[in-house]
Amino acid sequence: MNQADKFEVHYYFGDESHSMDAVVRNKCEAEILAILLETADTLKIDIDINA
């Protein structure tokens, strides 16, 4: 069985900045987590998410 070492998210902005509103970032990351958890549930696999 293969195991991923990490999953990284990087946001790219048109003006080449690297900052964003913390509330917006947290909402985006909550959506990503929901997708990962739903996918794992659908595929009947265990995942461990750490930050």
Side-chain angles (χ1 to χ4, degrees):
M1 173 179 359
N2 292 333
Q3 181 177 351
D5 287 336
K6 59 184 165 181
F7 176 81
E8 293 183 7
V9 177
H10 186 88
Y11 302 96
Y12 293 93
F13 300 106
D15 64 358
E16 298 185 20
S17 65
H18 290 279
S19 63
M20 69 185 329
D21 182 270
V23 173
V24 172
R25 178 181 170 182
N26 285 328
K27 287 180 181 180
C28 291
E29 290 179 355
E31 289 296 322
I32 292 168
L33 289 170
I35 291 167
L36 291 172
L37 293 171
E38 182 67 28
T39 302
D41 185 55
T42 300
L43 297 174
K44 307 289 190 252
I45 59 173
D46 293 321
I47 61 172
D48 184 20
I49 302 172
N50 295 296

